[in-house]
Amino acid sequence: MIERPWALPEHEWRGLVNRVRAGRSLAPARWPRGARCAVAFSFDCDHECFALGQGDTAIGRLAWGEFGRRVGVPKILDVLARRDVPASFFVPGVCAQIDPDEVRRIRGAGHEVGLHGWIHENNSRLDHATERDLMLRARDVLAPLVGGDVRGFRSANWDLSAHTIPIVAELGLAYDSSLMADEAPYELLLDGRPTGVVEIPVEWLRDDAVYLMFNRQPATRPWLSPDDVFAIFRRELAAAHAEGGLFQLVMHPFVIGYRSRIWILEALIEAARDLGDVWFATHEQVADWVRAEAALPAPAPFTA
């Protein structure tokens, strides 16, 4: 944090603003198979690392994360299997080490597994060397479990440092999904220069935890009913369909995986199918499609 932002000279605040920016829109003129819109569900499998990444070792909080592993993920996989819908699961490296079979089950069911940090650490608080080392460690844990390259990244808490996107480009990842500059996919710029990295944008209003999570620090409580949350998500879906765009959603197994909430996922799938002409896709598939449609070069290491 900057203590006296009003005292920054213009070249400094411009440098901060322009470090990572949205470049050209990658909203495609068409979606596969003539679909009117794309639907991309994602699940952040923070599990025990939701607490550990904040330095919290309370047994109760770790058990809450374990609920996501024991109950939430199996329920999600069941819904997706019955509805024949692919999705993207973002997994911290430590979570993958706690239960490697979970990653194998997710991948074996035909879903994408993406990077989500090492221990759900806040990247904005890390120096370049530490952040890079943790990302490499996480990649090295996940790659053999998924049987190939991991191609997407989502920063824990959606907090990026000035070094995150250069590391993403260096690793040759196809996309990032941590930023909010648009509703459509776009290319990321770094210091004004194209990176070749596709952004699959997120948004707090398309995140189950914003409405439904209980926390002591910071103090938050569920403030909308599951029906209200579904209504917000359904409106976002309907608008994306009307525009011919992308409906992207973030859920957490330890938030959505309860008996009174898991129906939201199934109801959204039904609502999308009722709209018709919908392409259900992983984030990786969306990134590959918009890259091909825009003839966007693959990301390459960024040199300052």
Side-chain angles (χ1 to χ4, degrees):
M1 295 292 291
I2 298 171
E3 292 185 4
R4 301 174 67 245
W6 57 87
L8 287 173
E10 181 175 345
H11 74 276
E12 288 191 21
W13 60 254
R14 284 196 183 275
L16 293 169
V17 168
N18 290 329
R19 178 58 173 170
V20 177
R21 297 284 280 178
R24 60 168 165 155
S25 173
L26 300 178
R30 61 193 181 103
W31 293 106
R33 300 188 292 275
R36 179 167 180 80
C37 81
V39 174
F41 293 117
S42 64
F43 302 91
D44 289 1
C45 297
D46 305 340
H47 300 341
E48 298 89 348
C49 288
F50 181 80
L52 290 174
Q54 302 176 68
D56 187 349
T57 60
I59 300 301
R61 301 303 281 186
L62 295 175
W64 186 34
E66 190 177 9
F67 174 91
R69 180 189 305 288
R70 287 174 59 88
V71 181
V73 168
K75 285 185 179 180
I76 290 165
L77 290 176
D78 175 65
V79 171
L80 297 175
R82 286 189 289 102
R83 295 295 184 170
D84 192 24
V85 169
S88 299
F89 291 74
F90 294 90
V91 182
V94 168
C95 286
Q97 288 194 315
I98 291 172
D99 185 3
D101 284 340
E102 178 179 74
V103 177
R104 296 189 186 103
R105 287 193 298 271
I106 291 169
R107 190 70 190 96
H111 305 296
E112 177 196 7
V113 175
L115 291 170
H116 199 37
W118 175 248
I119 197 168
H120 206 261
E121 65 278 0
N122 187 328
N123 283 7
S124 69
R125 300 176 181 174
L126 303 177
D127 60 71
H128 176 268
T130 301
E131 183 176 7
R132 182 178 182 276
D133 175 64
L134 293 176
M135 200 179 298
L136 287 170
R137 286 163 61 185
R139 182 196 64 179
D140 291 346
V141 166
L142 286 178
L145 297 177
V146 304
D149 292 336
V150 182
R151 303 191 63 230
F153 173 76
R154 175 171 290 159
S155 184
N157 309 305
W158 305 343
D159 287 320
L160 283 70
S161 76
H163 313 294
T164 306
I165 298 306
I167 298 171
V168 168
E170 177 191 348
L171 269 57
L173 299 178
Y175 72 90
D176 172 74
S177 185
S178 315
L179 298 172
M180 311 180 192
D182 205 324
E183 295 167 321
Y186 56 90
E187 182 180 12
L188 288 173
L189 302 180
L190 195 61
D191 294 331
R193 287 182 279 175
T195 64
V197 176
V198 175
E199 180 64 31
I200 306 295
V202 294
E203 226 304 322
W204 291 114
L205 64 85
R206 297 193 309 274
D207 184 319
D208 62 351
V210 171
Y211 309 105
L212 297 172
M213 191 163 71
F214 175 91
N215 225 354
R216 288 191 177 90
Q217 295 294 331
T220 57
R221 301 289 187 277
W223 63 282
L224 288 179
S225 73
D227 297 272
D228 292 329
V229 176
F230 171 67
I232 294 171
F233 292 165
R234 183 175 56 184
R235 283 181 178 270
E236 282 282 316
L237 169 63
H241 187 272
E243 296 169 358
L246 168 67
F247 173 70
Q248 184 275 347
L249 187 68
V250 180
M251 295 185 179
H252 300 76
F254 69 114
V255 175
I256 204 66
Y258 292 91
R259 296 165 180 154
S260 60
R261 297 173 177 176
I262 190 64
W263 67 268
I264 295 174
L265 173 60
E266 194 147 14
L268 283 171
I269 295 171
E270 292 178 1
R273 290 215 161 106
D274 287 344
L275 288 170
D277 300 327
V278 166
W279 177 48
F280 291 101
T282 67
H283 285 42
E284 177 184 16
Q285 289 170 329
V286 171
D288 286 345
W289 179 264
V290 300
R291 179 185 302 280
E293 289 293 291
L296 182 69
F302 186 85
T303 56

